[in-house]
Amino acid sequence: MRRQLTALFIAGTLALGLAACSSPGATGGAGFGGGQRQSVAEACTAFGQAIAGSQDLVGGALRDAQTDPTKTVEAFGTLETTLGDAFSAVSNAEVSALGDSLLDSLGVLADAAEAVIVDGDTARAAELTEAGRDFALRMQELQTLCG
């Protein structure tokens, strides 16, 4: 039961992140974009457009994670790939820096989730909670920047 609740918490955090990313003028990301000068608004728009087409894929992964806690790790992988691909449309340094931070945070969250949910390492539950908060904070920072 605890694993299912943890998986639901994580799925909710990921869904919140995806919703923030796909909102109009939404968030942006990692330093993959070309050498073009790009305003924050342009970077946010490019990222929002890039991620909009992946909502069904990520949404399906999140739904699977809610019914099967072990699928949470797969949902993280799907989200990480989706965000990374969308971040490739961003070359603005400010948005890229926040995107790098977001992807790092997602990696920590994914590692902790796998340890707790799949491996049953409940000693890392506090780490998982903190990683979830950090990921949500990074998403909020990006949403604030992209307004």
Side-chain angles (χ1 to χ4, degrees):
M1 180 66 166
R2 180 165 170 81
R3 286 184 182 188
Q4 287 181 321
L5 290 175
T6 303
L8 286 173
F9 165 76
I10 292 169
T13 300
L14 292 175
L16 174 68
L18 180 62
C21 287
S22 60
S23 64
T27 59
F32 296 100
Q36 310 164 323
R37 293 233 178 238
Q38 191 179 49
S39 71
V40 168
E42 291 168 335
C44 293
T45 298
F47 180 81
Q49 290 171 345
I51 200 166
S54 300
Q55 285 184 310
D56 289 341
L57 176 67
V58 174
L62 294 174
R63 281 188 298 281
D64 289 347
Q66 290 177 11
T67 58
D68 181 356
T70 60
K71 298 256 184 187
T72 302
V73 175
E74 291 177 30
F76 279 116
T78 300
L79 182 60
E80 189 170 16
T81 299
T82 300
L83 291 177
D85 289 348
F87 292 153
S88 68
V90 173
S91 63
N92 176 276
E94 189 175 5
V95 177
S96 290
L98 282 174
D100 289 339
S101 176
L102 177 67
L103 282 175
D104 290 345
S105 179
L106 180 58
V108 171
L109 180 58
D111 290 343
E114 183 172 13
V116 173
I117 296 169
V118 177
D119 302 336
D121 185 358
T122 57
R124 292 185 63 187
E127 178 186 347
L128 175 61
T129 300
E130 182 60 32
R133 284 187 196 127
D134 185 63
F135 178 74
L137 177 64
R138 300 290 163 248
M139 290 302 306
Q140 184 178 9
E141 289 172 357
L142 264 124
Q143 189 172 23
T144 298
L145 177 65
C146 290

